[in-house]
Amino acid sequence: MRAQVNWTQTARLRRLDFVLRPWTDAGLDADRITAELHSWMLTFRPARPAEYIRAQLARQAADSHQSEQFEAAEGWDELEASGVFTASRPGLVTDVLQGLAQGLASYSARQAAQGFDDLSGAGTDAEADFAVFLASTDSTPAGAFR
């Protein structure tokens, strides 16, 4: 490993073995450790490579611990958060378009109150498209939007 990562060549083998112990204990082999060290893309050569590696690993461990603490403090549940995206909702597209139609109507009313061009005037394409789609969803076969 030391021969493959040029900036580690001045470090003593025993010291490298000691600072890389978290990775070797985690089951990483020499090729994977070499790839990890190369992924740091150093543009300089550390004066003490083993100490640099030790500091980087400590920083990564602290960052990981801190993010775990934040997630625990906020009560973040990945399964619960992604459940909305995995649930089967046949009316999801209809609900979204109805929300967009309401938003467009609200925006148009606000623009008209301020004296700007009104988007809900006769013949606007967006409003007509929303109305046609919403009217046609009643005849849509069940499961068309899964």
Side-chain angles (χ1 to χ4, degrees):
M1 188 274 325
R2 186 174 75 164
Q4 295 173 339
V5 182
N6 63 355
W7 57 268
T8 63
Q9 291 174 359
T10 60
R12 293 188 339 243
L13 285 176
R14 285 182 178 240
R15 184 66 185 153
L16 277 177
D17 183 43
F18 178 75
V19 298
L20 293 172
R21 182 74 44 95
W23 282 352
T24 56
D25 288 347
L28 275 69
D29 62 353
D31 292 332
R32 180 71 178 145
I33 291 173
T34 301
E36 287 290 329
L37 292 175
H38 278 298
S39 74
W40 293 357
M41 293 185 263
L42 296 183
T43 58
F44 62 96
R45 183 179 292 259
R48 296 187 326 226
E51 291 306 310
Y52 181 80
I53 293 170
R54 186 198 56 77
Q56 287 296 104
L57 292 179
R59 185 176 299 124
Q60 288 174 0
D63 289 346
S64 174
H65 176 73
Q66 187 176 13
S67 67
E68 289 171 2
Q69 292 300 317
F70 285 145
E71 288 177 1
E74 293 175 1
W76 179 260
D77 183 11
E78 187 71 32
L79 291 174
E80 182 181 343
S82 64
V84 176
F85 300 110
T86 59
S88 175
R89 292 223 19 229
L92 181 63
V93 173
T94 305
D95 292 346
V96 169
L97 287 177
Q98 285 175 342
L100 288 172
Q102 291 172 358
L104 180 61
S106 171
Y107 177 76
S108 296
R110 189 171 71 242
Q111 292 296 88
Q114 293 177 355
F116 298 116
D117 289 336
D118 187 12
L119 295 177
S120 64
T124 58
D125 293 334
E127 185 177 342
D129 290 343
F130 281 135
V132 168
F133 179 80
L134 292 174
S136 70
T137 56
D138 296 334
S139 62
T140 325
F145 296 108
R146 288 184 186 210

